[in-house]
Structure formats: structure tokens, C-alpha cells
């Protein structure tokens, strides 16, 4: 069997994660990386991986089965995914939950017109967490859903702190409240406010002589980001930040608790949990499994936009149907 030929558009944290995931899958071959920067400034791990300018996207369609988009959700993917779906079968990790319907419609129109398959919004949330929510809800209609994130780095919250005057660098961790997790896992179906579910820990490097009290106040009162949470702010040196907070860990739990029985007397707890040392490397691994499914759906003659809900589990796996039935069922 010929390997599935992948290219990556955008080579940041996630792009590197996708490259590493390609190397871990013998049926996948990474052929090239597209970047908007000067290609000579971008260095993939693999010596034989070509680096092409994103301006040349249309020039390599014969060499690539699936293009994996690894750009940012805020401004890159809303433009890049529909444009790329006109040229390639594509996979992206678009994670602005509220805008997924709009993104789906734009990508679906482009992919259908071109006869390509586009898989959007895969990763872990949206992605693996989403499919866990659907499985749990489908089999346990009488119940409640809970999602806890962390302990992990939120890039968006870290960026928001960095924009405060006097801040040089920052890292923000989202942390689930242990008592809330415990109450949910007990099956008690508690009603929890935002503040009761998560706390936020901020590690901040301030400019020399900066007013740290003012920075702390600006953080803890910041609407949407911190005001609704119990937030702690710790000022540290750049050295400490680089030494102790360089990683990009994340994870969390999707939990559904519910009841069955004539009078709802039996309680059930379904939990899917992730503890990730590297958010982009894990997300990249999900994108590559979805690229395999994307190539298979395209080979079967499908066209249009898909999400994780539309992908049968067998399409994600490198194992054959026979192997899956013998070992996984
Ligand atoms: P980065 O900021 O590391 O990279 C985004 C883009 O920035 C790159 O593709 C790259 O494009 C560009 N870039 C510009 N300058 C540089 C530079 N000096 N070094 C590296 N990249 C540069 O973002 P991430 O890779 O961490 O995240 C990408 C997206 O992944 C996030 O926006 C998020 O939406 C999504 N995500 C989704 C998850 C999910 O569960 N669904 C989980 C985690 C992330 P170019 O090469 O063209 O310049």
C-alpha cells in the first residue's frame, strides 16, 4: 500500500506536532511544509521534508493526498481552510467553538464545489472531547454533562496577560477545582458556577520597576478572562519562567453522570480524561489520524465538510477491519 502523502500549512507548535505524528505512523508520509514566512527560515525536523512558500499552494496538488492546516484559529483558519479546500483534501483544528457552524458552511461550500473532503475542528476540544460528549449523551439521555479543563496552559489567557503594560512575559494555567471534580464523579449532579469549576494560576514576569499591584489588579479584574474566576498571580523572573514553565501541557475530563432504572435508582458515571505533556503534539496526533480518515473518505468518492461526528472509528485506525474485530472489539 502506498503511504498517505501529507503536507502541512503553517509550521508553529501544532505544525511541529503534526510532523512528529507523521513520523510515528508508517502508513503516513510527510512530503512538505508550506509557510507564509521565508521558506529558508523554516526548518522541519525531517531532512527530506520540502519547505514551500504558502504562495505556491496550488503548485503541489499532485504530490499531496491531504493538506493538514496548522495555523491559528483566530485569523488564519477562517481564511486558509476554505481556500485550501478548493485545492486539496484538508484537515484543520479550528477551535473557536461558537464559530464552528459558520466555518463549516464556508468550508463545505468550497470542498463540495471542488470535490474534496474537508475535516474541520479536530484535536481534543473540539475533537476527542466532542465525540465523548456525543457517545455519552446518546446512551444516557437522563443525565448532565460536565467538562473540566486542565491543569494546563491556556495560550489565549497567557497572551491576554502579556498585553498588560509592564508585563514582559506570562504563563497562565487553568486548574480544575478538586472538590468540584469529586462532586461530579460522585454522581451527585451538582450545579456548578464558572468560579466553582476552575481556578486560574498566573506566573508573570514584570518589567524592572513596574507597579506589580496594578498589574495584578488588571489581571484579576479582566472581564471574560479572569473576573469570573478565583485567580492567583505570582511574579517570577524570566529565568524561572523559562526553566519551570516552558512546556505546553494540557488536558481535562469530559464527564456525563446520569441515571437509569424505573425510578432512576441506578447512577452511572462516564468519564473520558486526558493528561497531556504536550498539547500541540497530542493535537497533531489527532489531526494525523483524521488525515488518514480524510484520505479514505476521499478515495471512496465523498466530498464536502466533515467533523469528528461523521468519522467512523475504523476510518481513523491503521488496522484493517479484520484486525480491529480480532483485537479491539
Ligand atoms: P502558533 O502560534 O505556534 O502557530 C500558528 C502559526 O503562526 C503557524 O502556523 C505559523 O504559520 C505562524 N508563525 C508565524 N511566525 C512564527 C514563528 N516565528 N514560529 C512559529 N510559527 C510562526 O500556534 P499553535 O501551533 O500553538 O496553535 C495553532 C492552533 O491550533 C491554535 O490557534 C488553536 O486554534 C489550535 N488548537 C486546537 C486544539 C483542539 O483541540 N482542537 C488544541 C490546540 C490547538 P507560518 O508557518 O505560515 O508562518
Amino acid at each position: 500500500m502506498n503511504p498517505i502523502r501529507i503536507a502541512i500549512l503553517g509550521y508553529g507548535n501544532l505544525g511541529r506536532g503534526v510532523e512528529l505524528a507523521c513520523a510515528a505512523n508508517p502508513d503516513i508520509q510527510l512530503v512538505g511544509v508550506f509557510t507564509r514566512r521565508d521558506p529558508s527560515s523554516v526548518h522541519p525536523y525531517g531532512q527530506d521534508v520540502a519547505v514551500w512558500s504558502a504562495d505556491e499552494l496550488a503548485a503541489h496538488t499532485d504530490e499531496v493526498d491531504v493538506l493538514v492546516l496548522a495555523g491559528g484559529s483566530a485569523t488564519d483558519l477562517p481564511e486558509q481552510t476554505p481556500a485550501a479546500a478548493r485545492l486539496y483534501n484538508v484537515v484543520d483544528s479550528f477551535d473557536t467553538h461558537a464559530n464552528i457552524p459558520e466555518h463549516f458552511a464556508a468550508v463545505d461550500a468550497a470542498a463540495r464545489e471542488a470535490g474534496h473532503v474537508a475535516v474541520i475542528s479536530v484535536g481534543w476540544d473540539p475533537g476527542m472531547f466532542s465525540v465523548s460528549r456525543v457517545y455519552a449523551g446518546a446512551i444516557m439521555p437522563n443525565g448532565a454533562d460536565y467538562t473540566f479543563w486542565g491543569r494546563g496552559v491556556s495560550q489565549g489567557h497567557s497572551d491576554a496577560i502579556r498585553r498588560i503594560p509592564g508585563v514582559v512575559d506570562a504563563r497562565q494555567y487553568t486548574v480544575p477545582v478538586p472538590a468540584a471534580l469529586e462532586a461530579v464523579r460522585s454522581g451527585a449532579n451538582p450545579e456548578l458556577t464558572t468560579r466553582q469549576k476552575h481556578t486560574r494560576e498566573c506566573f508573570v514576569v514584570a518589567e524592572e520597576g513596574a507597579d506589580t499591584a496594578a498589574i495584578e489588579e488588571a489581571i484579576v479584574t479582566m472581564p471574560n478572562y479572569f473576573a469570573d474566576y478565583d485567580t492567583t498571580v505570582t511574579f517570577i523572573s524570566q529565568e524561572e519562567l523559562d526553566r519551570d514553565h516552558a512546556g505546553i501541557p494540557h488536558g481535562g475530563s469530559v464527564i456525563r453522570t446520569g441515571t437509569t432504572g424505573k425510578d432512576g435508582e441506578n447512577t452511572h458515571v462516564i468519564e473520558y480524561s486526558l493528561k497531556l505533556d504536550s498539547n500541540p503534539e497530542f493535537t497533531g496526533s489527532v489531526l494525523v489520524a483524521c488525515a488518514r480518515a480524510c484520505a479514505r473518505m476521499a478515495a471512496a468518492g465523498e466530498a464536502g465538510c466533515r467533523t469528528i461526528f461523521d468519522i467512523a472509528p475504523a476510518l481513523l485506525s491503521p488496522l484493517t477491519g479484520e484486525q480491529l474485530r480480532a483485537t479491539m472489539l
Side-chain angles (χ1 to χ4, degrees):
M1 271 269 282
N2 290 332
I4 297 166
R5 299 166 305 167
I6 303 276
I8 300 169
L9 173 55
Y11 197 71
N13 297 314
L14 183 57
R16 283 190 292 277
V18 172
E19 177 175 13
L20 293 170
C22 289
N25 285 280
D27 64 327
I28 305 279
Q29 182 192 2
L30 178 65
V31 295
V33 167
F34 290 98
T35 180
R36 291 162 297 183
R37 285 166 284 158
D38 174 358
S40 68
S41 71
V42 170
H43 305 287
Y45 299 114
Q47 306 287 321
D48 50 353
V49 176
V51 183
W52 300 310
S53 165
D55 296 338
E56 295 173 37
L57 205 60
H60 298 279
T61 52
D62 290 344
E63 298 154 67
V64 174
D65 298 312
V66 180
L67 179 70
V68 177
L69 289 98
S73 289
T75 53
D76 295 342
L77 299 177
E79 288 192 7
Q80 287 180 335
T81 311
R86 293 195 176 86
L87 300 167
Y88 294 92
N89 300 307
V90 297
V91 177
D92 83 13
S93 70
F94 184 74
D95 70 353
T96 314
H97 289 254
N99 296 344
I100 288 175
E102 194 185 322
H103 188 57
F104 182 95
V107 175
D108 191 47
R112 272 180 200 282
E113 203 183 308
H116 292 134
V117 174
V119 177
I120 62 155
S121 299
V122 291
W124 60 279
D125 197 1
M128 302 312 295
F129 274 14
S130 324
V131 82
S132 302
R133 287 188 276 260
V134 169
Y135 278 134
I139 60 185
M140 212 156 60
N142 296 320
D145 289 309
Y146 300 88
T147 302
F148 290 90
W149 294 277
R151 177 186 171 91
V153 172
S154 164
Q155 304 279 17
H157 288 78
S158 303
D159 287 345
I161 299 172
R162 280 187 216 108
R163 284 195 294 268
I164 296 171
V167 172
V168 178
D169 206 346
R171 194 63 106 239
Q172 195 271 178
Y173 295 89
T174 307
V175 187
V177 175
L181 257 173
E182 224 169 274
V184 168
R185 285 176 175 148
S186 77
N189 265 11
E191 281 199 20
L192 298 167
T193 62
T194 300
R195 191 178 296 278
Q196 286 168 327
K197 285 176 71 181
H198 296 95
T199 52
R200 297 197 177 278
E201 291 177 11
C202 312
F203 294 88
V204 181
V205 181
E207 274 170 17
E208 181 112 22
D211 181 347
T212 53
I215 292 173
E216 179 166 350
E217 183 64 11
I219 295 172
V220 301
T221 58
M222 196 185 293
N224 301 321
Y225 285 85
F226 296 102
D228 297 334
Y229 298 84
D230 289 337
T231 301
T232 52
V233 179
T234 307
F235 289 94
I236 59 175
S237 67
Q238 184 75 55
E239 260 173 13
E240 287 170 308
L241 190 89
D242 295 344
R243 187 190 64 210
D244 302 333
H245 304 282
I248 316 177
H250 220 319
S253 300
V254 168
I255 304 172
R256 183 168 177 87
T257 60
T259 55
T260 61
K262 211 163 132 291
D263 302 310
E265 66 273 26
N266 295 310
T267 298
H268 308 276
V269 178
I270 303 173
E271 177 165 353
Y272 178 80
S273 155
L274 293 171
K275 295 169 197 71
L276 313 175
D277 270 356
S278 165
N279 180 359
E281 288 177 16
F282 181 82
T283 303
S285 303
V286 180
L287 286 169
V288 168
C290 290
R292 176 184 294 120
C294 179
R296 289 170 170 175
M297 290 188 285
E302 294 186 30
C305 192
R306 304 286 185 270
T307 71
I308 195 78
F309 301 145
D310 308 306
I311 300 177
L315 290 176
L316 295 167
S317 174
L319 302 181
T320 64
E322 196 174 29
Q323 289 169 324
L324 286 172
R325 287 187 292 278
T327 61
M328 297 280 180
L329 205 54

